Amino acid sequence: MHVEVTKHDFEPKIVAFVCTWCTYAGADLAGTSRMQYPPNVRVLKFPCTGRIDPVFILRAFQKGADGVLVSGCHPGDCHYMAGNFHARRRFAAFRALLDFVGVDLNRLQFSWVSAAEGGKWVDVVTELTERVRTMGPMPEFKELEHEEQWSGAINTPELKEAYDSIG
Amino acid sequence: MNAKANKNQVTCIEPDYYQAITEAIRKEAVKILKDETVVGVVGYLPGRRKGTASPALVTTVEEAEKLIFSPACVNNLSVYLTKAKKGVLKQGKVGIVAKGCDMRALAGLMTESQLQREDLFIIGVVCPGVYGFGVERTGTLTEANIARKCRECTVHMPEGADVAAGTHAELADLTPEEAQEMARIEAMPQAERWAFWKEHFSRCIRCMACRQVCPFCYCEQCLCDKNRPQAVESSPRPAGNMAWHLVRAMHLAGRCGGCAECERVCPMDIPLNLLNRRMAQELKELYDFEAGLTPVDKGPLNEYKENDDQSFIK
Amino acid sequence: MPQIITEQNLRNLIDLLVKEAKLVVGPKLSGSVVLYEPLTAGSDLTLDALPRRSSKELFFPICEDILSYKRENGAMKVNDVDRSKFPEAVLIGAPPCDAGSPAILDAVMSWDYKDEFYLERRRKSTIVGIACTKGDDACFCRAVGLAPDAEAGSDLFLTPLKDGSYACNAVTEKGQALVAAHQNLFSEGAGAEPKPFVDQAVAKLNLVKIKKWLEEHFEDPLWEKIADICVGCGACAFICPACHCFDINDEGSTDDGVRRKHWDACGFAKFTNHASGHNPRDVQNKRYRNRIMHKFKYYDDKFGKTLCTGCGRCIRACPVGIDIAEILETINSKQD
């Protein structure tokens, strides 16, 4: 089997936080079924979506992710009965917060993918990857990583700008 | 605007009003200390500087006779009843002076099993409002010096308190500055919103005053103090600051009582209550939850319904 | 004959210094607050309010990198920060309570261990202090031995005159050099009368007596009385011109990261927490006691100086209204 690889100018980094019981198994099914999906996604396995703290998402963006996927069991299928119900509320709130501080929610995807849905996993990952690819790299959090308070910076950007304008 | 509220609305609240509350608080505090209903009373004492006040943990009748209430009594005293301040007060039933906004915090702490109602004697204050930050402290409360949170206060009456000090008075026709600011931010293009918060958070010095005064930040180990593993950088740089404030807002979602202490104490003037307010608004829209004066069984993020909205989930 | 500089020429001086590629730091409106920040033009200078944070951050940044490390081919490579790249700086418009702080901090920073990050920044900076004609009921510089016109710490000292210009006194060689390099902006003359200073609410304190009381009252009910209400934030320490505690953190991964030095505060519960879990300052009043002891006893013991300039920032900023001037007055008024 040979699939043609398209070269792109920009390969987004996608981090996927998934639960071990459903989505991880679903992704595994996609793999064992030899389905193709973008290799941009880095999968991190958690016991449950209820264990996925919003701070993980922040951390992923800070450390270079251009898009984040959170995925777990369908409502009612949680291995721990209600972990995904709690996660659903938490992430609904977290999305509002991110939106309020100016983060583009198109970079953050939530999905329910069961162990039997290898095909859905492929669809979700492909769609998110392509969407983020058209959006380009996510600059906000990455730029912040390199910013210093003026006193700690050896050369402050503000001053540099002033010097440049003087010529 | 309802007729009942109109009747009591005036353009300034004179020192007399606060003096009457002061008298009522003193009387009540002395009584409950004398008859040993409580082991101590958390209230306010005047500060050295004109128009200032400090929280006070009062255990004797003599001290109780010096308690005050004035527009300078800005603190939410419920923080002294939490685990974070454990050991400061003797074991036993405690009296506390509480404004409406502080009572929401008490209710929240009861919801979270941090406090028991029967361990408290609440001296509720019928509060017309307190001073904002950096305003003229004349003793009279006016539109010019009232705190931003008080402009939209809905809990002037401390319902559910053991006793209430004060009658009812509130300032008329206050502009809802915070609501206007919320609307302004929401209307900004996304990049502008990011720039707005980035500028504010970059100024943060991580003094943690926002955390320390918050009645709900009672965790014995704050996630943001941990370094193995490290979730949020502890260094005061723009990256860690942004993460800290987002984590803080998230951890308070569905719990915050809206006392806006975090915003008041920020030495860098970061409008932190806007974040809390945005979260409260969202939880109201999605789950019809509002922080109130009575404890509930569970907060909105500690419960769920099977048919909760999931339109954002694929 | 004193030198006089007009307000316009003071702003022109800033313009010139910026053009000379110096880091010029002074009070500037940043959002809704005035902070010491790099000035990009003379018009940025805002002298009508005391900045929220002190000017110590020019010498002792809120957070700075001290080294970076990276594992390459199995070996760890460590890169020190090149301190020679620290910019030449001029601090301008600092009142005596800010300008005076380096004169206090130099002692601890060049004691048994030489803090080269601080000292290099100090060597490369010139401080233009300005006599303070403002102030509010939180100010108490006179009480701790300073004054609104104290020149300690300044290289060049400006006194505001009633006609809006400033009388200049070059206190040190650095100050003289700054004037000499821009002589055309200064003129000689007697100048107008100086602007009056504001009265302060706190009378001069007997610091020797306070220190003696502190020596004898490590254990005292006063500490619980004044500090049980302390909520344990770091606001007082962070905005203080004299507090200088810092923490060092490695941030990044085990293979690639940065070692950072940043402000710390004795009010934090974690400040003295041992790895074992034991905390010798286990309750807040002990932490607050340390703040007072350090400022008015320990620092004096070691370096013969008081670690407080009376700027009043901690009084204005304390979330629970703890008033250090009131505490000092209380101790000062004790009979023995």
Side-chain angles (χ1 to χ4, degrees):
Chain A
M1 199 156 100
H2 179 77
V3 174
E4 214 162 287
V5 181
T6 326
K7 284 259 180 248
H8 297 282
D9 291 340
F10 168 57
E11 288 298 344
K13 271 189 190 164
I14 308 287
V15 175
F17 298 105
V18 304
C19 92
T20 188
W21 301 104
C22 292
T23 305
Y24 191 81
D28 208 22
L29 177 66
T32 48
S33 316
R34 305 262 177 135
M35 293 176 187
Q36 297 285 333
Y37 61 88
N40 304 54
V41 64
R42 283 88 169 148
V43 176
L44 285 107
K45 188 170 75 165
F46 287 79
C48 177
T49 40
R51 172 64 185 96
I52 300 166
D53 191 309
V55 79
F56 299 163
I57 299 174
L58 285 180
R59 192 85 177 155
F61 282 132
Q62 279 184 300
K63 298 296 168 196
D66 300 300
V68 170
L69 171 67
V70 177
S71 185
C73 308
H74 283 268
D77 291 354
C78 180
H79 192 78
Y80 308 98
M81 313 307 287
N84 54 358
F85 284 130
H86 285 288
R88 186 166 65 183
R89 283 204 166 192
R90 194 181 308 147
F91 289 122
F94 188 54
R95 281 175 91 250
L97 178 63
L98 284 183
D99 183 51
F100 190 59
V101 297
V103 175
D104 193 334
L105 294 179
N106 284 316
R107 295 184 181 276
L108 183 55
Q109 181 68 57
F110 298 89
S111 67
W112 306 135
V113 174
S114 78
E117 294 176 319
K120 185 173 178 188
W121 169 255
V122 171
D123 291 346
V124 167
V125 169
T126 310
E127 197 194 312
L128 178 63
T129 307
E130 292 315 316
R131 187 167 74 216
V132 172
R133 193 196 304 285
T134 57
M135 293 169 76
M138 181 177 195
E140 287 92 354
F141 284 100
K142 269 170 269 181
E143 278 172 16
L144 271 190
E145 284 286 290
H146 297 109
E147 281 188 24
E148 302 283 348
Q149 307 256 14
W150 68 264
S151 54
I154 293 179
N155 284 307
T156 68
E158 240 186 338
L159 268 190
K160 207 172 168 305
E161 201 180 295
Y163 297 150
D164 292 348
S165 69
I166 294 161
Chain B
M1 202 159 285
N2 62 50
K4 182 175 166 267
N6 267 337
K7 198 173 64 186
N8 299 305
Q9 288 195 341
V10 288
T11 53
C12 71
I13 310 280
E14 298 292 346
D16 292 356
Y17 183 82
Y18 291 94
Q19 190 54 41
I21 297 178
T22 298
E23 297 301 333
I25 289 173
R26 283 179 186 167
K27 194 171 136 247
E28 207 55 46
V30 166
K31 186 172 145 251
I32 55 176
L33 278 168
K34 246 185 199 156
D35 66 17
E36 292 178 354
T37 311
V38 296
V39 293
V41 176
V42 191
Y44 305 92
L45 286 175
R48 169 183 68 90
R49 297 182 298 148
K50 183 174 167 281
T52 61
S54 260
L57 316 166
V58 163
T59 51
T60 64
V61 168
E62 295 75 59
E63 288 171 307
E65 278 164 352
K66 294 185 190 128
L67 290 174
I68 60 156
F69 191 80
S70 74
C73 297
V74 287
N75 299 68
N76 180 348
L77 301 175
S78 58
V79 68
Y80 292 106
L81 305 183
T82 65
K83 246 186 336 208
K85 298 298 290 177
K86 113 186 119 180
V88 168
L89 285 160
K90 272 191 286 179
Q91 290 288 314
K93 187 163 175 162
V94 176
I96 182 168
V97 177
K99 307 183 285 289
C101 46
D102 308 341
M103 286 195 55
R104 279 197 299 232
L106 291 174
L109 288 167
M110 286 178 224
T111 297
E112 295 178 14
S113 306
Q114 298 300 310
L115 291 177
Q116 301 293 325
R117 182 64 183 88
E118 56 270 26
D119 293 341
L120 297 179
F121 187 94
I122 303 175
I123 306 175
V125 174
V126 186
C127 172
V130 292
Y131 290 144
F133 186 74
V135 297
E136 221 183 314
R137 305 181 302 251
T138 53
T140 304
L141 190 76
T142 65
E143 167 137 35
N145 62 12
I146 193 170
R148 191 159 83 161
K149 67 166 176 180
C150 302
R151 289 170 170 271
E152 292 165 68
C153 179
T154 55
V155 282
H156 293 286
M157 296 302 291
E159 276 153 36
D162 290 287
V163 289
T167 47
H168 182 212
E170 51 187 281
L171 294 180
D173 305 324
L174 295 170
T175 19
E177 283 176 1
E178 200 176 61
Q180 288 172 350
E181 181 70 353
M182 288 290 289
R184 189 179 74 86
I185 296 168
E186 303 247 27
M188 284 178 185
Q190 183 196 310
E192 228 175 275
R193 279 206 298 275
W194 177 263
F196 173 88
W197 287 110
K198 185 175 138 179
E199 198 225 306
H200 277 297
F201 293 152
S202 296
R203 221 165 44 223
C204 171
I205 52 177
R206 299 290 272 284
C207 69
M208 297 299 175
C210 47
R211 179 182 72 188
Q212 297 304 113
V213 293
C214 180
F216 292 99
C217 274
Y218 54 72
C219 289
E220 296 199 15
Q221 168 69 65
C222 178
L223 174 78
C224 299
D225 275 344
K226 278 185 82 75
N227 55 6
R228 297 184 76 189
Q230 188 176 61
V232 172
E233 290 90 343
S234 49
S235 58
R237 298 169 72 247
N241 294 352
M242 172 70 79
W244 154 243
H245 287 291
L246 294 185
V247 168
R248 199 192 71 85
M250 196 57 212
H251 284 192
L252 289 172
R255 309 169 64 218
C256 173
C259 68
E261 281 284 270
C262 45
E263 179 169 317
R264 174 184 71 84
V265 300
C266 180
M268 294 296 122
D269 280 9
I270 304 172
L272 293 170
N273 200 43
L274 295 177
L275 294 169
N276 300 337
R277 194 170 160 151
R278 179 67 190 87
M279 296 314 282
Q281 180 190 322
E282 189 68 16
L283 293 167
K284 167 91 176 112
E285 279 167 23
L286 288 173
Y287 312 119
D288 198 27
F289 172 84
E290 248 180 310
L293 291 173
T294 39
V296 292
D297 193 27
K298 273 178 176 171
L301 293 188
N302 285 326
E303 61 172 1
Y304 63 90
K305 287 207 178 85
E306 291 195 2
N307 60 352
D308 280 338
D309 170 62
Q310 57 172 8
S311 53
F312 66 97
I313 303 175
K314 201 175 274 302
Chain C
M1 190 68 95
Q3 304 261 7
I4 304 290
I5 188 167
T6 61
E7 173 161 353
Q8 188 50 52
N9 275 353
L10 182 65
R11 295 187 190 274
N12 292 345
L13 176 66
I14 294 170
D15 286 336
L16 286 172
L17 291 168
V18 171
K19 277 192 188 132
E20 289 166 23
K22 290 208 167 67
L23 173 65
V24 186
V25 172
K28 177 181 174 183
L29 193 64
S30 169
S32 61
V33 291
V34 175
L35 295 174
Y36 286 103
E37 280 195 353
L39 306 175
T40 50
S43 53
D44 284 348
L45 187 71
T46 311
L47 289 173
D48 45 357
L50 183 71
R52 284 288 172 86
R53 304 204 293 246
S54 83
S55 59
K56 74 177 174 190
E57 65 182 303
L58 174 59
F59 315 104
F60 173 45
I62 174 166
C63 178
E64 65 181 322
D65 293 1
I66 54 181
L67 58 84
S68 60
Y69 58 90
K70 197 172 185 135
R71 196 187 300 278
E72 274 169 4
N73 307 320
M76 194 59 92
K77 204 167 159 256
V78 175
N79 286 313
D80 278 310
V81 162
D82 184 358
R83 289 189 296 267
S84 70
K85 283 199 179 138
F86 288 174
E88 294 276 337
V90 179
L91 171 63
I92 210 157
C97 54
D98 277 336
S101 88
I104 297 170
L105 292 181
D106 285 352
V108 65
M109 295 299 189
S110 54
W111 182 45
D112 60 342
Y113 179 81
K114 309 261 178 288
D115 188 322
E116 281 303 329
F117 290 86
Y118 173 91
L119 293 172
E120 181 70 9
R121 287 192 159 94
R122 266 297 265 147
R123 277 191 285 273
K124 286 184 170 168
S125 63
T126 305
I127 301 177
V128 181
I130 185 165
C132 174
T133 53
K134 289 168 293 289
D136 61 16
D137 51 4
C139 288
F140 63 107
C141 64
R142 287 189 192 278
V144 290
L146 251 76
D149 58 348
E151 293 180 346
S154 294
D155 295 305
L156 179 65
F157 194 75
L158 308 177
T159 307
L161 304 177
K162 279 184 171 164
D163 64 357
S165 59
Y166 299 89
C168 313
N169 182 24
V171 186
T172 66
E173 283 175 13
K174 272 185 189 171
Q176 284 161 6
L178 184 71
V179 175
H182 304 92
Q183 193 61 61
N184 57 326
L185 297 175
F186 296 84
S187 60
E188 296 216 338
E193 242 184 280
K195 280 188 189 163
F197 302 126
V198 174
D199 286 339
Q200 291 182 1
V202 186
K204 191 157 168 45
L205 297 162
N206 182 345
L207 294 171
V208 176
K209 187 180 163 192
I210 290 173
K211 188 177 163 218
K212 185 160 179 296
W213 188 89
L214 291 175
E215 251 156 35
E216 292 160 1
H217 295 86
F218 187 77
E219 301 287 351
D220 193 276
L222 178 79
W223 302 119
E224 282 164 38
K225 193 160 169 287
I226 59 177
D228 265 354
I229 58 165
C230 175
V231 288
C233 75
C236 52
F238 283 5
I239 59 178
C240 173
C243 279
H244 54 269
C245 286
F246 58 84
D247 194 5
I248 291 178
N249 259 307
D250 288 352
E251 294 186 332
S253 66
T254 45
D255 291 336
D256 183 5
V258 180
R259 178 162 294 175
R260 297 197 167 105
K261 168 184 165 188
H262 58 85
W263 294 352
D264 203 352
C266 57
F268 291 150
K270 302 265 166 195
F271 187 77
T272 47
N273 209 19
H274 294 180
S276 66
H278 171 66
N279 193 344
R281 291 183 209 140
D282 53 351
V283 292
Q284 200 58 38
N285 67 58
K286 291 185 186 169
R287 296 174 202 132
Y288 193 80
R289 173 180 66 197
N290 188 69
R291 179 171 162 82
I292 301 287
M293 286 281 185
H294 192 187
K295 288 191 175 297
F296 299 97
K297 174 173 152 45
Y298 306 147
Y299 203 81
D300 196 337
D301 285 345
K302 271 207 161 69
F303 305 112
K305 289 184 163 96
T306 299
L307 197 60
C308 173
T309 63
C311 69
R313 281 192 180 87
C314 56
I315 302 176
R316 292 179 205 103
C318 180
V320 295
I322 295 179
D323 186 332
I324 197 170
E326 187 182 14
I327 293 165
L328 293 173
E329 277 183 327
T330 308
I331 297 176
N332 200 45
S333 65
K334 289 202 185 267
Q335 288 310 309
D336 60 319

